[in-house]
Amino acid sequence: MFFEGAEKKLEVVLSATSPSLFEKDRSFWEELVAKSKATILSELSGPNLKSFLLSESSLFVWKDRILMVTCGQTSLVDAVLFLLRELGKENVDCLFFQRKNEYRAQMQPTSFLDDVKLLREVVDGTAMRFGRLHSNHNLIFHSNKAYRPQVDDTTVEFLIYDLSEQASAFLTGSGLSKQEIRDFFALEKVLPGFEIDDFVFRPYGYSLNAVNDDDYYTIHVTPQQRSPYMSFETSLPITKAEQGILNHFLEILSPGAFDLMTFNCPTTFDFTHQDYIQVVHSKEKLSIGYDIHFRSFYKRQGQPEKPYQYLE
Amino acid sequence: MFFEGAEKKLEVVLSATSPSLFEKDRSFWEELVAKSKATILSELSGPNLKSFLLSESSLFVWKDRILMVTCGQTSLVDAVLFLLRELGKENVDCLFFQRKNEYRAQMQPTSFLDDVKLLREVVDGTAMRFGRLHSNHNLIFHSNKAYRPQVDDTTVEFLIYDLSEQASAFLTGSGLSKQEIRDFFALEKVLPGFEIDDFVFRPYGYSLNAVNDDDYYTIHVTPQQRSPYMSFETSLPITKAEQGILNHFLEILSPGAFDLMTFNCPTTFDFTHQDYIQVVHSKEKLSIGYDIHFRSFYKRQGQPEKPYQYLE
């Protein structure tokens, strides 16, 4: 069974004079999510941050900011175009649209460059690729309008490939409960203080949103043998002390490879792990104030592996 | 400018009782090549091996064997189906169909699994992937019919990514002649004794077939900045002494990464290079007698690189 775990992501920051996004009712978010061909599964509502768990990933809403992540065969660009129309592009101070390289790009409704063409009809922006086209990479389109991010506006994306056989075996087990998966990752221990909203897909797959005041983290697991993948993303700055969180996931999943992509998060630059070697490091300081680093790591060579056999 | 350098490849070995393929006239090979949506550019004819340089890569014909390689947006599977019809599938002792992961899979007319579905309507076979789905890999479909390869039936594929800026600058220079490119690679020095047929594409790109008795080597260069790639494939067994050829290409191109895929070529197993680290090694001994090794290497980390900027 194949499922496309690779994510698409949008981030929109509104101007200070825009009305609060908390004034929008649920039907607005339902419509937004439907534009990308996903649906809302559940919701957490805090005073500073609303979170929606989606049939394909996550939506987070602050009073002046939206973050939406979708995977599978969704068309996130249509959600971006909807937002620009509904909120008024003049009220958007900063727009990011991002796509990770897909496992099977030929199954996507559009390519990144198709999306960029549509976005450029509405927004003046820059498109770039971090990482190598032949291998893991992340594609970013951002608005060119002058902008200065808040000091605490950091993002860490931790993209984890080739989960170990043991981890995949557990995560594809039948009848797993939410609590069993939370316990497997020891989430409440390593990331205390967060309210959690999670969902176990059938036959397998797991999504989680967690919020704490205006911070979030989100986890999406695609454990199937053909494309074993997990993403962890957070607004936490992952300080030196918090690098233990990344090591914690590496210990549990013992993945064959991972990418670490950070936005304004210099405290992650010294992240290394004795079992992994960095093979790509692509970086850029954008004119709109974000310092982006993309780093790809592979496990130091162990035993040769068998090829994957396609039985259908 | 984007061009898909990633290759598709077919190999067909006929039974001993089949008529010699040298009895087929040029129109047969033209028709075969047209099936994949390529054309013949030029031809070399020896007593044991004919070679055709194609608008997208190469065709080699022995009396009892065909090897065809195409890149770009060709549909090589249609050439396989044509061969099975024209030669009679009962006369085919061994069939290989191979696809390297594409830089932009969404631009291909079919996926590997689409192709496998068509092939399985005609041939009982096995499909497998060497390497990781998220990164560089090679997909292989082979017939299951009992078969034992000749002792000297070896193949080495050397797939070279991210050519250095200097190499790309030279290879995208305007008005390059064939001889200038042959000299750049010092081909006549490191691989003496071969008759060469080559072609310089405009604005750039280079293809070469070389034959020596029943041995061949072939080179295809896609030097463009967005997807810089070169492949070198040969029937030479690349013994310990001949590993200098691989080092020679690494020295000239200083690539960011390369794959080394070998078929029945144990003398390449100890190939290492101080500037590169092996990150993936996938291997399988097929029931039909081929021992396949796929190894992926990355350059040991140098300076961080800038993202690639999409200007259109």
Side-chain angles (χ1 to χ4, degrees), chain A residues 246-263:
Chain A
L246 307 186
N247 285 321
H248 172 78
F249 286 120
L250 293 182
E251 196 170 315
I252 292 172
L253 299 168
S254 189
F258 67 86
D259 301 331
L260 181 58
M261 189 159 190
T262 60
F263 299 71

Side-chain angles (χ1 to χ4, degrees), chain B residues 136-248:
Chain B
N136 283 321
H137 58 267
N138 242 293
L139 299 152
I140 284 187
F141 174 86
H142 69 81
S143 52
N144 287 335
K145 189 173 170 179
Y147 181 69
R148 181 173 300 207
Q150 301 287 315
V151 177
D152 64 348
D153 181 2
T154 64
T155 308
V156 173
E157 299 175 10
F158 193 47
L159 312 174
I160 304 168
Y161 307 98
D162 310 323
L163 315 185
S164 73
E165 273 182 40
Q166 293 90 325
S168 284
F170 173 80
L171 291 164
T172 53
S174 64
L176 279 180
S177 71
K178 298 175 186 182
Q179 194 59 47
E180 283 172 304
I181 297 178
R182 290 188 201 185
D183 291 346
F184 176 75
F185 288 114
L187 293 174
E188 285 137 321
K189 185 172 148 236
V190 296
L191 289 158
F194 280 82
E195 189 177 359
I196 290 177
D197 181 18
D198 52 358
F199 193 87
V200 184
F201 295 88
R202 301 292 172 218
Y204 36 67
Y206 178 69
S207 280
L208 173 148
N209 283 351
V211 301
N212 182 3
D213 191 16
D214 59 354
D215 276 320
Y216 71 92
Y217 75 85
T218 181
I219 288 176
H220 300 284
V221 187
T222 307
Q224 33 267 62
Q225 196 201 352
R226 194 184 292 183
S227 53
Y229 175 70
M230 171 175 140
S231 68
F232 168 76
E233 172 173 335
T234 185
S235 58
L236 295 172
I238 307 286
T239 60
K240 186 84 182 158
E242 286 162 339
Q243 290 187 11
I245 294 166
L246 307 185
N247 285 320
H248 173 77

Side-chain angles (χ1 to χ4, degrees), chain B residues 42-60:
Chain B
S42 57
E43 178 178 351
L44 283 181
S45 221
N48 294 313
L49 176 55
K50 282 179 202 283
S51 119
F52 299 89
L53 205 60
L54 308 184
S55 54
E56 272 99 353
S57 302
S58 296
L59 167 65
F60 294 94

Side-chain angles (χ1 to χ4, degrees), chain A residues 19-36:
Chain A
S20 166
L21 288 165
F22 280 21
E23 290 173 16
K24 300 282 184 195
D25 61 18
R26 166 124 173 170
S27 67
F28 179 80
W29 305 117
E30 281 170 356
E31 194 176 353
L32 169 67
V33 168
K35 291 291 175 195
S36 74

Side-chain angles (χ1 to χ4, degrees), chain B residues 62-97:
Chain B
W62 293 259
K63 286 169 191 152
D64 63 348
R65 175 186 288 254
I66 298 165
L67 165 66
M68 184 169 165
V69 179
T70 62
C71 58
Q73 291 168 274
T74 49
S75 58
L76 186 63
V77 70
D78 293 325
V80 183
L81 296 170
F82 171 81
L83 278 180
L84 290 167
R85 274 196 313 271
E86 292 291 317
L87 303 177
K89 65 176 178 174
E90 65 284 1
N91 296 317
V92 171
D93 272 3
C94 182
L95 166 71
F96 266 93
F97 176 73

Side-chain angles (χ1 to χ4, degrees), chain A residues 48-307:
Chain A
N48 294 314
L49 175 56
K50 282 179 201 286
S51 117
F52 300 89
L53 206 60
L54 308 183
S55 54
E56 272 99 351
S57 302
S58 297
L59 167 64
F60 294 93
V61 180
W62 293 259
K63 287 171 191 151
D64 64 348
R65 175 187 287 253
I66 297 165
L67 166 65
M68 184 171 166
V69 179
T70 63
C71 58
Q73 291 169 274
T74 49
S75 57
L76 187 63
V77 69
D78 292 325
V80 184
L81 296 170
F82 171 81
L83 278 180
L84 290 168
R85 274 196 311 272
E86 291 292 317
L87 303 176
K89 64 177 180 176
E90 64 286 0
N91 295 317
V92 171
D93 272 3
C94 181
L95 166 70
F96 266 92
F97 177 75
Q98 183 179 343
R99 280 179 71 163
K100 201 198 113 35
N101 65 301
E102 286 96 10
Y103 282 88
R104 294 179 69 183
Q106 66 274 22
M107 293 174 70
Q108 291 297 314
T110 60
S111 72
F112 173 72
L113 291 179
D114 295 335
D115 294 350
V116 166
K117 210 165 172 180
L118 291 172
L119 293 172
R120 282 206 169 128
E121 286 175 12
V122 188
V123 174
D124 173 40
T126 301
M128 53 180 72
R129 163 171 42 84
F130 289 81
R132 311 274 171 79
L133 188 61
H134 60 77
S135 202
N136 283 320
H137 58 266
N138 242 292
L139 299 152
I140 284 186
F141 174 85
H142 69 81
S143 52
N144 286 336
K145 190 172 166 180
Y147 181 68
R148 180 173 301 208
Q150 300 287 314
V151 176
D152 64 348
D153 181 2
T154 64
T155 307
V156 173
E157 299 174 10
F158 193 46
L159 313 173
I160 305 169
Y161 307 98
D162 310 323
L163 316 185
S164 74
E165 274 182 37
Q166 293 90 321
S168 283
F170 173 81
L171 291 163
T172 54
S174 65
L176 279 180
S177 71
K178 297 176 187 181
Q179 193 59 48
E180 284 172 304
I181 296 179
R182 290 189 202 183
D183 291 347
F184 176 75
F185 287 115
L187 292 174
E188 286 137 320
K189 185 171 149 241
V190 296
L191 289 158
F194 280 81
E195 190 177 0
I196 289 178
D197 181 18
D198 50 359
F199 192 88
V200 184
F201 295 89
R202 300 295 173 214
Y204 36 67
Y206 178 69
S207 281
L208 174 148
N209 283 351
V211 300
N212 183 3
D213 191 19
D214 59 354
D215 275 320
Y216 71 93
Y217 76 86
T218 182
I219 289 176
H220 300 282
V221 187
T222 308
Q224 33 268 60
Q225 196 200 350
R226 194 183 292 181
S227 52
Y229 174 70
M230 171 174 140
S231 67
F232 168 76
E233 172 172 335
T234 185
S235 58
L236 294 172
I238 306 287
T239 60
K240 186 85 182 157
E242 286 162 339
Q243 290 188 11
I245 296 166
L246 307 186
N247 285 321
H248 172 78
F249 286 120
L250 293 182
E251 196 170 315
I252 292 172
L253 299 168
S254 189
F258 67 86
D259 301 331
L260 181 58
M261 189 159 190
T262 60
F263 299 71
N264 284 356
C265 198
T267 54
T268 60
F269 292 174
D270 58 356
F271 179 76
T272 57
H273 189 292
Q274 60 183 15
D275 295 342
Y276 292 86
I277 184 159
Q278 177 182 308
V279 294
V280 173
H281 182 181
S282 180
K283 67 170 186 173
E284 184 66 294
K285 196 167 165 75
L286 306 185
S287 58
I288 57 167
Y290 288 94
D291 191 13
I292 303 180
H293 285 249
F294 173 87
R295 295 161 67 196
S296 250
F297 295 77
Y298 274 83
K299 189 179 264 184
R300 289 179 193 279
Q301 189 58 30
Q303 291 301 304
E305 59 204 33
K306 292 285 238 181

